[in-house]
Amino acid sequence: SAVEWTAKFRSSRATMAKFDEHFRPQAHFCGGLETTLQYYNTVEELDARSTREKVIIMLKRAGIKYKTVPGFDSIFPETRAYSQFTRASGGHVHDTNARFKVARYYKGIPPNTLRQLVETFDEDYRLFNLSIPAWA
């Protein structure tokens, strides 16, 4: 629950990061992205509509034919399939609706704790030139 999470978060952000990488800023990955990001060919945001094409390109660069990846088409359906599925069921095979779930979840977190959370990941917002989410 939001209340349990708030208590945990307040108790020790550093301790949480040791046990769960989701609580580490991405800027700390790969030897410190703030200094190594320039050496990567591609670091970009993915969304349901563009992910398939971007993953195919990434696999091709690695010498992997996407058709050889088991379940690729079901995980990353073609845009046409995406559109048909979206109209038929209101969702996407790969779409978790995470944006909406996150916004609903954080609604119950006190504003001061949300500020601490955003400050924890401030490096990522700056490094990747991201806007602070509306729910924060």
Side-chain angles (χ1 to χ4, degrees):
S1 78
V3 174
E4 292 168 349
W5 186 91
T6 302
K8 231 187 231 186
F9 183 75
R10 284 185 174 154
S11 70
S12 175
R13 291 178 302 205
T15 301
M16 287 173 64
K18 286 180 188 175
F19 297 107
D20 187 341
E21 289 188 350
H22 291 93
F23 292 98
R24 287 180 49 211
Q26 291 181 26
H28 296 182
F29 291 6
C30 303
L33 284 174
E34 65 277 354
T35 57
T36 62
L37 187 60
Q38 63 187 334
Y39 301 110
Y40 294 96
N41 291 336
T42 303
V43 175
E44 60 184 291
E45 189 173 353
L46 300 174
D47 62 42
R49 293 193 185 273
S50 66
T51 300
R52 177 184 173 89
E53 289 75 25
K54 291 177 180 180
V55 171
I56 288 172
I57 291 168
M58 178 191 67
L59 290 170
K60 186 175 180 180
R61 286 182 186 154
I64 300 168
K65 295 178 182 174
Y66 78 93
K67 293 205 178 264
T68 65
V69 176
F72 185 88
D73 287 331
S74 63
I75 297 168
F76 304 106
E78 293 182 36
T79 304
R80 186 177 68 248
Y82 171 84
S83 299
Q84 290 169 350
F85 183 84
T86 301
R87 282 194 302 274
S89 67
H92 177 268
V93 199
H94 195 70
D95 191 357
T96 62
N97 291 313
R99 285 187 314 244
F100 304 110
K101 291 176 184 176
V102 166
R104 187 175 60 235
Y105 180 82
Y106 285 114
K107 215 175 193 178
I109 306 288
N112 187 43
T113 304
L114 282 177
R115 184 181 51 75
Q116 291 174 355
L117 176 64
V118 170
E119 287 172 0
T120 298
F121 296 98
D122 180 60
E123 293 171 89
D124 289 345
Y125 289 112
R126 285 185 284 114
L127 181 65
F128 298 110
N129 197 27
L130 300 171
S131 300
I132 293 174
W135 50 261

